Each structure stands twice: as structure tokens, then as C-alpha cells.
Amino acid sequence: KIVGVSRYCLDFMGKFMKRSYYIIPPSVERMPRIIDKNKYRAAFGFEKDQLLCIFVGGDAKRKGLDTAIDTVAKINNNKIKLLIVGPNKKPKINKNCKFFGRVDKETLEKLYSISDILFFPSRYEGFPTVIPEAMSYGVVPLVYDKKPFNEIARMKNSFLAYSQEEFVNILSSLIYNRGELIQKQKICRIE
């Protein structure tokens, strides 16, 4: 028997071996506590009304960090910020990005808690655990509409896009119109 972490992984493995397959998706911890979002936004130097997008990932190239930075640069609005967590090496960023690098668990919890969007334009994954992890904090994913991302992120709880242009359009509209974001945040939160 073979166990995979997503339908995408099982479909891929099925091309090479004919066996029984089972999916056991990875689990994430429940958010430990609700924190004062505005207090921590101020502590990190962000304004209350900014749209905060968090990128979390170690392998910057595969995870699409270049796409995330370029998308925010194209929007070119001070009301949006990209928080970059994970990579060891600081990438070339613009004024709308803030690089944190590797952080401890407590800092990551605070960064998730103050964020609105998980911007994760990864090129490929087996099962992106960062998506349910962020959702447990009420952070709405913005990902490509392809497997395996859309196995977790669906239209009712996420923003799905087929191209960078769609990422730009979605984020641009969310800067001033947060209604749909607020509805999706309520669905995302795992309690």
C-alpha cells in the first residue's frame, strides 16, 4: 500500500505503479490564541489599513517568490505590503516588501496573525502545508488554480488565479474593497 499527502501525489505515483493508494493529508496545529492584530501591526511598523500579504517558503525559486515580489511591484501602492518569511538569502525587493528571513515559531505566529493574504505563487508542490497552516490563522490563500493547491484552496475560502495578471487584479481590488476578503477569512479560520 502506498500513502500520499494529496490526490495530486497519488495521481503522479499511479503513473509508475499500479497499487492501492491512500491519502493522509498532513495536519497543522490549531492557532493557539487570538492576538491583537493592530498591536502587532504597529510593532512591526505596518499601518492598520494596509493589505498585508505574507509569503512563507524556504526554496524561493520553486515557491515563486520572484512572482510575488514582481506582482507587488506592478501594483505599486503603499497600501499593500509583502512580508517575506523563510529564505535565508535576502532577494532584491522593492519598497512594498519587508524581508524577515527565517524566524522563530512565535514570530511566525505573529506574522500570520497580522496578515490578510497568504500569497503563495508556487510553481509546484506535493502538498503545500503552508496553505492550511496560514488558514488556521484566518489568512486567506491566493494561489494558482491548479493541483495540488486547489485541493485545499477553493473558491469559497481562497482566491485562485491562472496568471500573474490575475494576481495583480485580485490584490489591487482587495486594497480598497475588503468585503470578499472578510467573508473568506471567516471560512478559513480553523477553530
Side-chain angles (χ1 to χ4, degrees):
K1 294 179 184 178
I2 296 178
V3 177
V5 294
S6 69
R7 168 62 44 208
Y8 175 76
C9 286
L10 293 182
D11 290 346
F12 180 78
M13 289 187 293
K15 293 177 186 177
F16 304 102
M17 298 179 283
K18 301 297 179 206
R19 290 190 173 166
S20 296
Y21 296 100
Y22 299 94
I23 298 174
I24 301 177
S27 62
V28 296
E29 289 183 49
R30 190 174 144 215
M31 187 177 109
R33 64 194 183 287
I34 296 173
I35 67 166
D36 184 344
K37 192 173 221 166
N38 291 328
K39 173 184 167 187
Y40 284 112
R41 278 187 176 220
F44 283 112
F46 300 113
E47 298 171 18
K48 182 164 109 168
D49 64 339
Q50 287 178 317
L51 181 69
L52 298 185
C53 303
I54 188 169
F55 171 93
V56 179
D59 181 357
K61 177 87 172 139
R62 181 171 59 94
K63 305 285 184 183
L65 178 57
D66 57 333
T67 301
I69 292 169
D70 189 49
T71 299
V72 172
K74 286 180 180 183
I75 296 169
N76 194 23
N77 186 317
N78 288 333
K79 293 294 180 191
I80 186 168
K81 297 293 179 195
L82 178 64
L83 290 57
I84 302 169
V85 179
N88 283 327
K89 184 179 173 189
K90 184 176 182 177
K92 184 176 179 183
I93 59 175
N94 58 58
K95 63 183 170 85
N96 292 334
C97 299
K98 185 163 183 179
F99 180 76
F100 290 90
R102 294 206 181 269
V103 297
D104 60 31
K105 184 178 178 180
E106 184 179 333
T107 303
L108 181 59
E109 286 178 358
K110 290 174 184 173
L111 290 171
Y112 272 137
S113 296
I114 66 171
S115 298
D116 301 301
I117 296 284
L118 169 69
F119 190 13
F120 192 66
S122 183
R123 290 173 170 82
Y124 58 92
E125 296 284 330
F127 183 91
T129 55
V130 69
I131 294 174
E133 181 178 83
M135 290 172 72
S136 74
Y137 288 86
V139 180
V140 178
L142 170 57
V143 297
Y144 281 115
D145 190 2
K146 64 181 182 180
K147 289 184 178 182
F149 312 109
N150 57 11
E151 287 185 42
I152 312 156
R154 297 190 171 90
M155 289 305 284
K156 67 180 183 177
N157 65 8
S158 306
F159 294 99
L160 305 174
Y162 291 100
S163 67
Q164 185 178 14
E165 184 179 320
E166 283 188 88
F167 287 142
V168 170
N169 293 337
I170 290 167
L171 290 173
S172 296
S173 70
L174 290 174
I175 291 171
Y176 298 107
N177 183 3
R178 305 278 174 97
E180 188 177 3
L181 176 64
I182 292 167
Q183 291 305 314
K184 290 180 187 283
Q185 285 173 328
K186 290 176 186 174
I187 296 168
C188 280
R189 184 101 181 221
I190 299 169
E191 302 214 2

